[in-house]
Amino acid sequence: MDKNNSEYQPQIIEPKWQKRWEEINADVAPDFSGKPKFYNLDMFPYPSGAGLHVGHFKGYAANDVVARQKRMAGFNVLHPMGWDAFGLPAENYAIKTGIQPEISTNKNIENIKRQMKMAGLSYDWSREINTTDSEYCKWTQWIFLKLFEKGLAYESELPINWCPSCKTGLANEEVAGGLCERCGAKAEKKNLRQWVLKITAYADRLLADLEGLDWPEKIIEMQKNWIGKSEGAEIKFKIKNFDSEINVFTTRPDTLFGCTYIVLAPEHSLVAQLQEKIANSQEVEKYVAVAKQKMDLERISEVKDKTGVCLEGIVAINPTNGREVSVWVADYVLVNYGTGAIMAVPAHDARDFDFAKKYDLEIIGVIKPREGDSQLPYEGAGVLVNSDQFNGLDSLEAKTKITEWLALNSNAEKTVNFKLRDWVFSRQRYWGEPIPLVHCDKCGIVAVSEDQLPVRLPKVEKYQPTGTGESPLAAIDEWVNTACPKCGGKAKRETNTMPQWAGSSWYYLRYIDPQNGNSLVAKDKEKHWMPVDLYVGGAEHAVLHLLYARFWHKFLFDLGVVSTKEPFQKLRSIGIVLAEDGQKMSKSRGNVVNPDDIVKEYGADTLRVYELFMGPFDQAIAWSTDAVRGSRKFLGRIWNLVADCAKNEKSSDEILRHAHKLNQKVASDIEQLKFNTAIAAFMEFLNFAEDNKNEVGKDILERMVLLLAPFAPHICEELWQKLGYNESVFLQSWPKPDGEMTKEKEIELIVQINGKMRDKIKVSADIAKQEAIALAKSSEIVQKWIGNKPIKKEVYIKGRLVNFVI
Ligand code: ANZ
Ligand code: ZN
């Protein structure tokens, strides 16, 4: 080793090793190798003009530790990166500046790629993808065509969510609390011709297959709730003097005897059909017109005052007992859930209760709590009362009994409903994948033939959304006017584009075979790499991206394109990095930490170690510049330890034991993504090693460097060379701890009182002073000797004895 030990200078060694790793293709994954495969995936970023945020690096660094460790442990690791590059910001930027989205996007990609390389992230760049590349788009469009072919993409004129600020339609998943998920503007309702994907056809499987996944419980729960399976029955109420029925959906057939009125959604088709029979039809029409304008969220809000209008002259008949009840329209009933009609049971449903109170409708209790009296409304289970022949039955049992009894006269049927709605898939914007369909006067809607894919976006001058519900593409005659693929006659292209979620719904498959011109992914490669073994990303995608990708994956499974039912076997979400002030980092607050600055000042290894050490991986934690300096210091001390001890030939048994324990801890912590405790273990080890430098031999240093390499790759590569090796540290095998060494070694401590031996206790060889004294004190014999005399002094001689002076 060099006598003139140089100082640790990350700014010099980091670029050097990055260049070297690129030269030796250190991170390239061969498609087939004798090794077991490991596919670890990061959620790919949107190439924003602001570049990456330190928050991005927390997830990337974590998954990079896993990738590097798995490679050392003998796995063939696929660790790719790409760009989710369609979307509104690039388009809005184009509107402002006139710079083509493609140009600004590519510039942003270049910058972000530089940042990723700067951080030493070990991506296989030979597999880089970009969702806006025409060769990539081709396959996104191909999937759409297959969906269309199978009847899973359809045109609809139903009212949809519309963002007046983004001037485009939105999917239900993109509206959070009534606001546009993108820009925060209040979403509106708008009738618009739309392309919709039948995700509901997969509702059951999307729910059932959550079962075998290793995902955070919280995200599984969110997906379950979003899919919202609800089991119940449809029950038919005859309309008096009218040859028609009202079909209601209820999850509580057991409460049927408590139904005192019926409610139709304002948009329900019966409202129009009954018009002539409704005495107050003008009042009803007025109410319906207002309700149609309201957003669903507002209508079903529990705090909002309930409103409705009675359909005068209309009477419905309860199929159980022939009881006649009034019929209402009220906007708290939604047209697109269940059957769009309900039987109201005010005694046992809070919404019905509020409504009945307001309009003075009858309330009949039919479920008595198993114990005690019920307070209205009582929504729990219990025993049936006021229910004729069903009295005394348990309500859970009564659900089935009543449904079966009604079914005998075809008055009811068991059914299942889902909250999940079909996916509104078209957007009225420029910067997205064109939907590969044409409209022909003669043939109707015709698919572009596969060999004509991709349908490319035309270059345009104006990117402004029209706001009329047409995409800017509609104004480009040369592009819009085309020949019908079927009859060759005049036809017009579909001008809607796909939502930003399209490209990310299958990107993980394209990394497997990014260059393939003949198919989306070759079968043998797909079989080799899928499923993704570890997927790391932000929790904000809990429903949107993860649900859409699972849907497309299942569809591709049915097509035989993929071999696994689910795409992402194990998922972990990253807690966000807050600013030093505990607030969310944002440009407007001026509290954003720029990763470039951190790397420039402290080095990439420090950035990595700091972000991994800052706290549990999945929790939100505030940035701390002091702690960044702490991490920098830690690496400097590692550097110095190697410099100081590399000449020592032999390690002591004690330090060997420490090193093997560290080995065991780091390996198991990486497995559990507990990076913070792994680094804490390095720090403890370092403290001990520094205190016992002449016991630290070269073998110990080597083990430490190998273990730390996935976390701080550059410094470890440099130290590995300094320890005398030419081959990269990442080509070495991940060290295994020696089982014997990690066993707790026990020793016997002598316990004295006033210098006289009174007891012997067995303790761990590494016991610390405080613990040794505490254990000695708790010995029964010692307690007897001490009694209630005060202890004047406690002496501990390491590994040998404790003496109490009393
Ligand atoms: C009678 C009843 C009695 C109900 C009772 C509940 C409690 P989930 O779990 O969300 O599926 N409902 C049905 N269709 C509706 C619609 N289109 N708009 C608004 N509400 C609707 O809830 C199902 C329950 O929500 C159904 O069961 C129905 O009210 C109501 F003690 O029927 B219930
Ligand atoms: Zn035609």
Side-chain angles (χ1 to χ4, degrees):
M1 184 137 182
D2 193 343
K3 194 83 209 114
N4 311 311
N5 281 321
S6 51
E7 235 187 287
Y8 171 42
Q9 287 181 299
Q11 290 77 3
I12 293 173
I13 62 170
E14 290 181 352
K16 177 181 86 181
W17 288 116
Q18 286 159 15
K19 191 161 156 262
R20 180 85 190 115
W21 293 327
E22 225 170 295
E23 283 163 7
I24 63 168
N25 288 328
D27 310 320
V28 172
D31 275 317
F32 304 100
S33 74
K35 301 175 182 177
K37 68 98 184 180
F38 192 87
Y39 186 175
N40 64 335
L41 180 67
D42 286 317
M43 286 186 187
F44 65 163
Y46 171 78
S48 142
L52 293 178
H53 176 275
V54 282
H56 287 102
F57 282 104
K58 187 169 152 190
Y60 298 155
N63 215 5
D64 199 58
V65 171
V66 177
R68 289 180 179 277
Q69 190 265 345
K70 287 279 175 194
R71 285 193 200 101
M72 293 172 79
F75 286 81
N76 185 21
V77 173
L78 177 55
H79 189 42
M81 185 42 78
W83 318 105
D84 188 14
F86 276 126
L88 283 184
E91 188 173 330
N92 290 338
Y93 186 72
I95 292 168
K96 231 171 40 195
T97 61
I99 296 172
Q100 278 173 34
E102 201 177 339
I103 294 173
S104 59
T105 300
N106 286 340
K107 208 179 101 209
N108 297 344
I109 288 176
E110 215 172 287
N111 180 45
I112 293 180
K113 196 167 168 182
R114 173 195 62 77
Q115 289 183 303
M116 288 177 167
K117 289 187 170 178
M118 155 193 100
L121 299 172
S122 63
Y123 297 125
D124 178 352
W125 288 109
S126 71
R127 295 173 183 266
E128 178 179 355
I129 55 156
N130 176 337
T131 55
T132 65
D133 278 348
S134 56
E135 273 311 291
Y136 186 94
C137 272
K138 172 173 152 182
W139 295 106
T140 311
Q141 292 176 339
W142 182 86
I143 297 172
F144 180 89
L145 282 187
K146 291 288 161 198
L147 287 160
F148 178 70
E149 218 173 83
K150 304 278 179 205
L152 293 168
Y154 64 94
E155 234 182 345
S156 157
E157 277 277 2
L158 285 179
I160 57 146
N161 305 303
W162 172 265
C163 173
S165 147
C166 295
K167 294 194 171 69
T168 182
L170 302 172
N172 279 354
E173 288 80 7
E174 289 172 304
V175 181
L179 308 179
C180 169
E181 182 249 0
R182 261 245 79 86
C183 74
K186 196 156 178 269
E188 297 169 355
K189 242 175 158 180
K190 187 165 175 144
N191 274 308
L192 206 60
R193 182 185 67 85
Q194 288 289 338
W195 282 97
V196 181
L197 299 188
K198 221 183 214 160
I199 188 172
T200 52
Y202 285 79
D204 254 324
R205 286 161 67 187
L206 286 168
L207 188 67
D209 294 344
L210 287 169
E211 216 49 61
L213 298 178
D214 178 1
W215 283 25
E217 207 37 62
K218 221 169 87 193
I219 294 188
I220 298 248
E221 237 359 80
M222 286 169 80
Q223 293 237 338
K224 278 189 182 162
N225 290 338
W226 191 262
I227 298 166
K229 184 173 180 171
S230 153
E231 292 176 80
E234 286 181 17
I235 298 177
K236 292 188 181 121
F237 282 65
K238 288 217 158 56
I239 302 174
K240 194 178 173 184
N241 300 327
F242 191 75
D243 188 21
S244 185
E245 297 164 329
I246 300 172
N247 194 19
V248 304
F249 169 67
T250 178
T251 46
R252 297 292 306 271
D254 52 312
T255 63
L256 182 52
F257 286 82
C259 165
T260 55
Y261 63 101
I262 293 282
V263 184
L264 301 177
E267 302 91 336
H268 198 292
S269 59
L270 266 177
V271 180
Q273 282 169 38
L274 289 167
Q275 199 220 7
E276 291 196 350
K277 305 206 76 167
I278 300 174
N280 57 339
S281 67
Q282 278 198 336
E283 191 192 351
V284 171
E285 267 167 42
K286 231 160 105 195
Y287 181 79
V288 169
V290 174
K292 277 184 177 169
Q293 296 308 311
K294 291 192 192 165
M295 297 295 291
D296 288 358
L297 192 88
E298 195 184 327
R299 284 171 49 166
I300 59 173
S301 154
E302 297 198 348
V303 289
K304 207 207 76 191
D305 193 28
K306 308 256 170 322
T307 62
V309 177
C310 182
L311 306 184
E312 282 167 21
I314 308 294
V315 171
I317 299 168
N318 189 325
T320 50
N321 52 7
R323 191 193 147 90
E324 299 187 352
V325 294
S326 55
V327 179
W328 295 68
V329 286
D331 66 8
Y332 76 94
V333 174
L334 303 175
V335 70
N336 59 359
Y337 185 67
T339 59
I342 66 155
M343 61 176 221
V345 185
H348 303 292
D349 180 282
R351 295 159 299 178
D352 300 343
F353 183 78
D354 292 346
F355 193 83
K357 279 271 172 212
K358 179 165 171 188
Y359 292 104
D360 204 15
L361 295 160
E362 203 179 347
I363 301 173
I364 304 176
V366 292
I367 308 288
K368 205 170 135 340
R370 290 197 188 96
E371 278 157 39
D373 291 328
S374 68
Q375 278 200 340
L376 294 183
Y378 173 68
E379 299 191 315
V383 179
L384 264 69
V385 293
N386 297 329
S387 300
D388 294 355
Q389 72 267 42
F390 299 101
N391 282 339
L393 270 184
D394 186 86
S395 56
L396 290 177
E397 203 184 334
K399 278 189 190 184
T400 328
K401 284 267 159 70
I402 292 182
T403 309
E404 282 170 357
W405 181 73
L406 288 168
L408 292 177
N409 292 313
S410 347
N411 282 325
E413 200 179 348
K414 256 178 97 171
T415 52
V416 172
N417 263 297
F418 290 93
K419 294 257 153 42
L420 184 66
R421 294 280 82 103
D422 279 342
W423 178 9
V424 172
F425 193 69
S426 40
R427 298 293 177 272
Q428 295 68 46
R429 300 287 307 229
Y430 169 78
W431 191 230
E433 299 87 344
I435 290 179
L437 297 173
V438 303
H439 300 260
C440 166
D441 285 342
K442 246 199 285 174
C443 315
I445 296 164
V446 183
V448 171
S449 65
E450 266 179 43
D451 60 11
Q452 297 299 304
L453 296 182
V455 176
R456 288 165 207 269
L457 274 176
K459 297 254 186 298
V460 301
E461 259 140 46
K462 286 203 185 113
Y463 303 93
Q464 266 85 351
T466 60
T468 61
E470 293 242 52
S471 111
L473 293 175
I476 311 195
D477 290 340
E478 325 72 288
W479 187 81
V480 172
N481 293 318
T482 183
C484 169
K486 218 172 182 178
C487 71
K490 273 191 185 163
K492 285 189 188 304
R493 284 190 194 283
E494 170 63 53
T495 57
N496 279 319
T497 53
M498 298 189 199
Q500 88 211 68
W501 308 104
S504 58
S505 292
W506 70 280
Y507 75 111
Y508 55 93
L509 293 171
R510 194 60 179 171
Y511 286 133
I512 292 173
D513 201 3
Q515 256 56 270
N516 195 329
N518 302 316
S519 66
L520 188 154
V521 58
K523 282 209 156 68
D524 53 347
K525 293 183 187 173
E526 186 277 331
K527 271 219 175 71
H528 176 68
W529 287 114
M530 285 301 286
V532 171
D533 297 284
L534 174 63
Y535 194 20
V536 174
E540 68 277 13
H541 294 296
V543 173
L544 287 152
H545 158 61
L546 290 169
L547 190 69
Y548 296 149
R550 294 182 61 225
F551 163 41
W552 277 29
H553 192 85
K554 289 182 185 303
F555 173 67
L556 293 172
F557 178 81
D558 292 346
L559 286 183
V561 173
V562 299
S563 59
T564 65
K565 281 193 195 161
E566 285 285 330
F568 315 123
Q569 188 46 42
K570 177 169 175 172
L571 173 78
R572 289 295 180 267
S573 44
I574 321 155
I576 58 171
V577 177
L578 298 166
E580 195 129 23
D581 56 11
Q583 304 270 21
K584 240 183 138 163
M585 285 191 197
S586 80
K587 247 197 209 153
S588 57
R589 286 205 185 92
N591 59 3
V592 177
V593 179
N594 183 340
D596 288 303
D597 297 342
I598 301 297
V599 171
K600 204 185 270 166
E601 186 162 0
Y602 304 99
D605 284 337
T606 293
L607 175 68
R608 294 170 62 115
V609 166
Y610 166 65
E611 293 211 23
L612 293 164
F613 183 56
M614 69 193 307
F617 171 66
D618 57 354
Q619 281 173 28
I621 313 225
W623 186 266
S624 154
T625 305
D626 266 353
V628 175
R629 286 193 203 104
S631 295
R632 170 66 177 75
K633 235 167 108 189
F634 161 71
L635 290 175
R637 284 165 59 199
I638 293 273
W639 179 275
N640 292 338
L641 185 77
V642 174
D644 294 345
C645 304
K647 281 247 166 85
N648 297 348
E649 266 164 31
K650 233 174 114 27
S651 307
S652 72
D653 266 8
E654 192 177 10
I655 198 132
L656 259 175
R657 268 203 317 277
H658 274 273
H660 281 273
K661 276 190 188 155
L662 174 70
N663 193 158
Q664 191 178 41
K665 169 110 181 115
V666 170
S668 98
D669 278 356
I670 292 177
E671 200 64 44
Q672 302 167 65
L673 309 190
K674 282 158 69 178
F675 308 104
N676 58 328
T677 53
I679 291 174
F682 277 114
M683 291 176 173
E684 266 169 48
F685 175 80
L686 183 61
N687 286 340
F688 184 80
E690 281 176 340
D691 288 348
N692 300 279
K693 271 190 180 164
N694 45 20
E695 295 178 32
V696 177
K698 187 162 173 269
D699 54 336
I700 293 281
L701 297 175
E702 286 175 7
R703 188 175 294 269
M704 181 185 75
V705 167
L706 290 168
L707 292 175
L708 189 61
F711 299 82
H714 310 88
I715 186 176
C716 290
E717 186 74 288
E718 182 77 18
L719 292 174
W720 188 248
Q721 311 295 311
K722 283 189 182 282
L723 286 165
Y725 298 99
N726 286 322
E727 203 182 45
S728 167
V729 71
F730 296 104
L731 294 174
Q732 312 311 310
S733 297
W734 180 251
K736 287 203 178 72
D738 177 337
E740 279 305 306
M741 288 281 191
T742 58
K743 265 200 200 137
E744 284 295 330
K745 210 176 131 191
E746 289 203 325
I747 51 164
E748 230 172 20
L749 271 191
I750 292 169
V751 186
Q752 301 178 331
I753 297 188
N754 292 342
K756 278 210 183 93
M757 186 179 95
R758 299 297 182 193
D759 197 6
K760 281 182 183 174
I761 55 173
K762 282 224 159 90
V763 299
S764 147
D766 316 310
I767 196 162
K769 177 178 175 181
Q770 288 311 320
E771 206 187 337
I773 289 174
L775 276 176
K777 254 187 221 166
S778 63
S779 140
E780 257 175 55
I781 301 172
V782 171
Q783 276 179 5
K784 210 176 77 198
W785 281 99
I786 295 178
N788 47 19
K789 293 174 209 108
I791 298 170
K792 287 190 195 137
K793 209 172 154 196
E794 299 166 341
V795 182
Y796 174 63
I797 299 175
K798 200 178 152 203
R800 286 183 48 209
L801 68 79
V802 177
N803 181 26
F804 296 109
V805 181
I806 55 175

